[in-house]
Amino acid sequence: MTVTDERFAKMQPFGAGPGEGPISARDVPPGPRWPTLLQSIALVRFRHQFIPAMFKKYGDVFTVRVMPRGSALVLFTRPEHAKEIFAGDPETFHAGKGNAILGPIMGQHSLLLQDGREHKRARKLLMPAFNGAALRGYESLVTEIAEREVSAWTPDRPFRSLDRMNALTLEVILRVVFGVTDESRLAQLRPLVNRTVDISPAVLLGWGYPFLQRFGPWKATVANQRALDQVMYAEIAERRTASDLADRTDVLSRLLVVEDEGGLTDEELRDQLVTLLLAGHETTATALAWSLYELGRDAGQLATAQAAARDDDREYLEAVLKESMRLHPVIPMVVRHLMEPATIGGIDLPRGVNIGPSILISHAREENHRQPERFRPRRFLDGEVATNTWIPFGGGVRRCIGAGFSLMEGVAVLREVLLRWDVTLPPRGHDFPRVRNITSVPRHGARIVVRRAGSPA
Ligand code: HEM
């Protein structure tokens, strides 16, 4: 059995811990009584309709049931509840188990999947690659890649901004993770990473049934993972022999010089690097595509953002990104698995339940954001956005490790676009969210049309 096969064999979706039995409806807040399969499909495939409908029907807190064992997932929508969850003791509020569905792809050592002591260690090892000094070091690389991408755009021809942003952010994350390396290896990696991100909700739901791995899309996913692993392990083996490790600033080289407890094994390295490649690529691309879409549909907003780009007003450009992430959350919720009974918002919850703040509802509640349906970046500069009402990156000890990176990258990319181009939407350019896998993306790819900045329409 290869390492890849073992990963798939060990799969525990929405991981129930040892000795955890089914949770009775009496022990959790109310929710729909539909069959689990139907609720899982609604949650994974139609969350943009399902979750708001459940919020409307049941109010602040409600429970949905997910496959394969009808596990309870209790969703909270108020900022004080999000605060309690984020501040929860990491030994009780396990995030790794809540993310178990990503196991076969990211691997058991992945920062996203670990809990307790292992999580703390991995976070400490990865953190230096994402602190302020490291981010400043990556900025010129991002600007260079963005400039190359954006200056190749063709005016007056509608295109899917999501596709271009995906290509750009993939290039950025490959360079940040691997640094300068063999171009042919990067060429091998691009399609393998893209296919991994492309994984469909049906494949994710099917993880609970290992026999499916012999068929169709499940089989193809395992084959793609094997190929990805091969390239990753080859790169790791080669890099271990490099003589300039101490001078290199890419994540792989930084992790290779770590001496903590004998350093990281090949498998640990592979898992963390794949996690960064996947978590750090499509998420930022989606936020950028929605930003371009929102600017493209409002000439006034575009003009303000272009003026900010010319003045190098990064704070305003960051507000544009933040407002796009508020209005169009890339990830719908944060999940924690309760290892012990806990009380949240005065509600007693049993061990074994999955809980989490709903990002979708937190960002759309009238009580949290005035005129929530309007795109208004200024709300982030006017001190209007209260703590725990804007939570696209989760929170607490598990807050997204790439949050600062993603905002730095987003601002640099927006600046390059806005300095060169006027952005509008093509006819029938309206877009809305579609569930891709874990993330939600613009259904039509956020199509835009560009013209040289300042040229007559
Ligand atoms: C718009 C862009 C992004 C969004 C919306 C996003 C969102 C999230 C969310 C919601 C979580 C879970 C937080 C929690 O459980 O409290 C998370 C965790 C994580 N993200 Fe991001 N992310 C983005 C960009 C990135 C980037 C650029 C990277 C890496 C380069 C990254 C790497 C990670 C990792 C490794 C974790 C796990 C952290 C842990 O468990 O300690 N993300 N992200």
Side-chain angles (χ1 to χ4, degrees):
M1 203 186 240
T2 67
V3 186
T4 320
D5 297 328
E6 265 178 42
R7 237 183 15 250
F8 280 87
K10 280 187 206 152
M11 179 56 208
Q12 276 277 322
F14 286 105
E20 288 174 359
I23 310 268
S24 144
R26 283 192 308 276
D27 296 331
V28 285
R33 287 164 180 233
W34 320 342
T36 299
L37 175 65
L38 214 59
Q39 293 196 49
S40 305
I41 293 174
L43 182 71
V44 176
R45 198 85 188 90
F46 304 105
R47 62 174 77 121
H48 295 277
Q49 297 77 28
F50 178 58
I51 296 297
M54 294 303 106
F55 171 57
K56 206 166 158 197
K57 177 152 188 204
Y58 296 101
D60 287 349
V61 186
F62 51 90
T63 303
V64 297
R65 298 277 177 173
V66 284
M67 284 188 355
R69 281 183 292 264
S71 317
L73 170 62
V74 183
L75 288 175
F76 290 80
T77 61
R78 296 182 68 89
E80 61 273 28
H81 297 163
K83 183 179 171 194
E84 279 183 54
I85 296 169
F86 292 149
D89 177 358
E91 295 298 336
T92 303
F93 292 67
H94 273 193
K97 284 219 175 49
N99 294 331
I101 198 158
L102 301 169
I105 307 283
M106 297 198 171
Q108 60 170 325
H109 305 290
S110 161
L111 185 63
L112 264 161
L113 298 207
Q114 290 176 335
D115 285 302
R117 211 180 64 82
E118 290 82 15
H119 173 260
K120 214 164 163 183
R121 171 176 179 253
R123 183 105 187 175
K124 200 167 125 210
L125 294 177
L126 287 173
M127 214 50 215
F130 294 96
N131 67 20
L135 295 190
R136 281 188 292 283
Y138 301 136
E139 202 177 338
S140 57
L141 170 76
V142 175
T143 302
E144 193 186 302
I145 295 174
E147 202 176 349
R148 203 179 325 136
E149 164 63 37
V150 163
S151 57
W153 286 358
T154 310
D156 299 314
R157 198 181 299 157
F159 65 95
R160 292 166 49 95
S161 65
L162 179 63
D163 296 353
R164 295 323 310 156
M165 291 297 125
N166 262 325
L168 199 171
T169 56
L170 177 58
E171 217 47 48
V172 167
I173 198 72
L174 283 172
R175 295 286 173 190
V176 165
V177 166
F178 295 114
V180 179
T181 188
D182 183 357
E183 189 44 51
S184 66
R185 190 155 288 145
L186 291 184
Q188 281 178 299
L189 274 170
R190 276 183 207 107
L192 294 170
V193 173
N194 272 331
R195 276 201 287 277
T196 309
V197 178
D198 249 341
I199 194 164
S200 77
V203 170
L204 281 181
L205 280 177
W207 285 156
Y209 307 93
F211 71 91
L212 284 176
Q213 288 162 25
R214 277 175 282 145
F215 304 105
W218 292 277
K219 189 173 170 185
T221 304
V222 180
N224 187 64
Q225 281 293 298
R226 264 195 216 112
L228 176 65
D229 285 0
Q230 242 175 24
V231 185
M232 298 290 294
Y233 285 124
E235 180 70 26
I236 292 167
E238 223 164 83
R239 188 67 62 88
R240 278 198 191 278
T241 65
S243 55
D244 59 348
L245 279 184
D247 304 325
R248 299 183 61 132
T249 53
D250 57 88
V251 180
L252 172 55
S253 301
R254 285 174 197 262
L255 291 178
L256 280 174
V257 293
V258 165
E259 281 163 5
D260 170 69
E261 295 171 31
L264 288 97
T265 65
D266 284 1
E267 209 184 313
E268 284 174 312
L269 282 167
R270 177 263 169 224
D271 291 358
Q272 302 305 5
L273 299 184
V274 169
T275 299
L276 296 176
L277 290 180
L278 299 183
H281 145 226
E282 196 192 42
T283 42
T284 311
T286 305
L288 272 164
W290 279 122
S291 302
L292 294 177
Y293 172 79
E294 289 296 339
L295 295 176
R297 68 195 254 189
D298 184 331
Q301 293 285 359
L302 177 71
T304 311
Q306 283 177 315
R310 283 193 300 273
D311 297 345
D312 201 15
D313 179 352
R314 294 171 192 212
E315 222 186 325
Y316 187 83
L317 295 180
E318 192 172 290
V320 168
L321 270 172
K322 287 178 164 174
E323 177 67 339
S324 305
M325 287 185 208
R326 183 195 66 78
L327 199 53
H328 307 285
V330 180
I331 294 183
M333 63 191 168
V334 179
V335 182
R336 305 284 184 260
H337 185 83
L338 287 188
M339 302 306 286
E340 298 294 336
T343 305
I344 294 152
I347 303 171
D348 293 330
L349 293 163
R351 165 175 178 236
V353 87
N354 291 299
I355 59 158
S358 164
I359 300 176
L360 275 183
I361 304 294
S362 302
H363 286 191
R365 281 189 81 143
E366 188 86 46
E367 301 93 321
N368 289 357
H369 304 281
R370 193 161 54 85
Q371 297 178 306
E373 67 296 338
R374 281 195 56 201
F375 178 78
R376 204 161 49 78
R378 287 241 160 256
R379 70 174 90 231
F380 283 91
L381 304 173
D382 295 344
E384 246 183 78
V385 180
T387 323
N388 292 312
T389 59
W390 183 77
I391 50 170
F393 297 113
V397 294
R398 303 303 295 239
R399 184 167 189 266
C400 174
I401 201 171
F405 181 85
S406 144
L407 291 173
M408 174 279 290
E409 180 180 14
V411 167
V413 172
L414 275 184
R415 195 176 48 214
E416 291 310 305
V417 174
L418 295 171
L419 286 175
R420 272 177 197 74
W421 301 108
D422 289 340
V423 180
T424 52
L425 299 193
R428 294 182 304 284
H430 177 71
D431 218 330
F432 47 92
R434 166 178 85 87
V435 178
R436 191 156 136 94
N437 36 46
I438 303 292
T439 59
S440 296
V441 299
R443 169 168 293 272
H444 301 297
R447 291 164 67 241
I448 56 169
V449 181
V450 294
R451 283 194 192 95
R452 301 259 165 238
S455 64

